Amino acid sequence: MTKKKTAYFLSLCMSMVLLAACSSNGSPGNGANPTAAANNNATTVSNEVDSSDPAFSAYKDPVTIHTVTSEYPSAKYPEGDDITNNVWIDRYKEKYNINVVTDWVSDEYDTKLNLAISSNELPDVFRVNASQLQQLTEANMILDLTDVFDKYASDRLKGYMEADADSYESGKKDGQLYGIPQLHWGLIDQPDFMWIRNDWKEELGIKDPQTVEDLKNTALKFMEKHGGYGIAVDQTLDYLNLLAVSWNAHPDMWLEDGSGKLVYGSVQPEMKDALKEWAEWYKLGIIDPEFAIKDFSAMNADVVAGKVGMQPYYQWWGYNPGVDTVSNLGKDAIFYPYQLPSITGGEAKHSVFFANGSYIVVNKSFKNPEAVIKLLNDYAYIVDEGVGKESKETLSSLLDNDLAHVVGAFRVLNPNSDYEQFEAVSAALKSEDTSGLTTAGMWQKYNNSVEYIKNSTPSAVGDYLQQGAPRSAYSLSKQVLDSGNYIKTALWGATPEVLAGYGTTLDDILTEGFTKIIMGAENIDYFDTVVQNWKTAGGDDATEAVNAAFGK
Amino acid sequence: MIQDKSIGRRIFHAANYTILILTSLLCILPFINLLAVSFSSSAAVSAGNVAFWPVDFTTKAYEFALTGGKFFTALWISVQRVVLGTLINLILIVLTAYPLSKSNLKVTGRNVYMAFFIITILFNGGLIPTYLVVVKTGLIDSIWSLILPGALPVFSMIILMNFIRGLPEEIEESAIIDGAGPFQILTRILLPLLKPALATVGLFSIVGHWNSWFDGIIYMNNPVNYPLQSYLQTLLQSFEQIMLKSGTDYTQLLSMMNARTGRAAQMFLGAIPILLVYPFLQKYFTKGLVLGSVKG
């Protein structure tokens, strides 16, 4: 009796809570939109100082933009400045007559923005991630920027979009542009390598690995001489998986299976071949026998302590664990990157993942969307064309001390910047002519590389191994990009909700099953069982959703 | 009591002490390790060489956490929050617990009020509705947004309520005979008796206010106004960013510290104030809890 009463009471409470939540979310959202549409085209036309140059013209009457942003912790401001009030904000005001007002600053940007979205307190211009873009577009809360972008974007800015057309497309819905992708430093940071400890390699006179067999033999020789195991990996299999491309497998990536259907790389037969070989390696002691209990820092601890000489790793090995390795073991213990060979001969085809992190969007009620494009043009101009046209002092005050990164939503990156940076740095190091170094980033990489070459300063080894070394990560990545030896993921945009809804469950099933296979607890045919489990647990669902969203 | 010196008794004692000592070691060793890590160089920590004594002693991690004065601003905000928040918590707890400790006969509608409070233990509005309330009431971006949404900790209130019920009713009756009204009974008779229980729930409030970081991050519009734990939390996250996009100025720092040493230093700094307060309140702590629980 009492139980029943309580149940009624509780369900009543629940429904009241739900009702309250619905009404508070619904009403303000409906109210705001009609006024927004009405305000859209009225003003602006005559407010340009020089209407023949819409991309860079200033306004006669000041225009105010409200935005939100996150802190950029390594930026060093002059006395009195901060993220809401700095050289860039001054420049917008002086050069374009645009006032940029920051409503809030948060380091939990996504959380805070989600709250702002649900309470309908959106700023005029802000940056969002791919799934927020999707939500806002569907909720009709942001402006269609197609025409504004066409009319106001500078040729340079349009050039960025051409350079990464896939990301540009991902900002569109039904052919209309809603989010301007902020792009990235370049795909050059994506290829991965086998990093091999140099003093061990030279001491044993081992040649550069050309085949998968060579990798295996190098590891065996290291073990013979130095004991321990051969290759450092961790329990997530993220690092071991970097090697999978050698077997033409592309774990964690959605790709076309040849018949036009999109499939998940981790469950393809190529992955089975890779696992079969890894199980063999594990038996031989090449793969760390304790990998299943090692996390990222435990894996790197063995590298830094000098217990192991090979590690499949990203291009930033030099920063972490490189700095610690060199300061702990001396400069001879430096690791160099090597291209991953393919079992079918030649070099492995690399995996390239979705690279665009955020999009610039404009609130539906904002009247001057073109003001944003002007600021984007300006940023691209300063970064790419500033040298020679602007004074050294101006450029330095805008770009140095990481102030180039404090602009929040008001920039689009040049997707070739890391590529160009690497070319300039390596050319300058070769010719000792520094006239080609045009950006602060180039100078930093160059100076640190020189510092490492001259003094072997451990803290400079990161930049050296990424760009400055004769055998640097980017020199190998450049070959990959130049020869087009990579596959791009088919999932170039927001992860479909169905897939995101599974969280890590699906991947956990695979990681657990693969770990068993590698450790020999199950034989290789268990792979088919794991894949079956993955499919029934939601893999089929997810595949369908991905095909629906990205299939052709 | 006569000392029992039988062999069985001795074995029991030996086992007792061993287990207790091991348990305390289990509690304190991770903390010592944390301290050692925070004072060690990055390379030594990465190589896994640090156990309970710093290797290559350095204070770089602490310098990093303390530079810019932001740490002290945040600390001051936290102190304000703890003092103000705990005070408000205690006042409201006492004012609600006393009437609710009476039966339904003496206080009309007592059970309705009680249900009203209990529901907030079982359900909460959820992140977004709560946020909306804070925004619409204009609390956002002020210290009150950290204090008022949790102004009455119901769980603590129930503890105190049970504590009051555990007191002999005769004390109150005699006060009534002497002419004391309810308010006088509360301030003159009950409050002095409630000290241990107040210390307990006060400690809950202090620790709760001190440790919470998420509300600071979502309710404050500028990191300058973050309380200490929110600031430390963002510092940890931004650290990774600094490590990856290391600017020139940080290369020197990089060689001496890394994310793990920095994290250890911050955790230690964040724990110090609680460590200082705890010993003084601890004696009330268990007493208050147990006393409150005797009478259900």
Side-chain angles (χ1 to χ4, degrees), chain A residues 57-70:
Chain A
S57 166
Y59 286 110
K60 285 180 207 153
D61 297 325
V63 166
T64 301
I65 304 179
H66 284 264
T67 188
V68 295
T69 190
S70 55

Side-chain angles (χ1 to χ4, degrees), chain A residues 16 18 133 172 193 198 203 311 366 400 510 517:
Chain A
M16 269 166 68
L18 287 175
L133 172 68
K172 290 182 180 175
F193 311 100
N198 200 45
E203 167 193 34
Q311 189 176 25
F366 186 52
D400 287 353
L510 297 178
I517 294 173

Side-chain angles (χ1 to χ4, degrees), chain A residues 448-509:
Chain A
N448 276 334
S449 299
V450 171
E451 174 69 26
Y452 188 80
I453 293 164
K454 277 195 189 142
N455 305 325
S456 308
T457 311
S459 54
V461 76
D463 289 337
Y464 173 74
L465 277 178
Q466 190 191 47
Q467 305 199 3
R471 172 174 279 284
S472 68
Y474 276 8
S475 67
L476 302 182
S477 298
K478 185 172 179 292
Q479 295 168 15
V480 173
L481 293 190
D482 290 350
S483 59
N485 194 19
Y486 59 87
I487 299 177
K488 273 183 167 185
T489 178
L491 202 154
W492 204 271
T495 306
E497 232 165 276
V498 180
L499 178 55
Y502 283 111
T504 60
T505 358
L506 290 177
D507 281 335
D508 288 347
I509 291 172

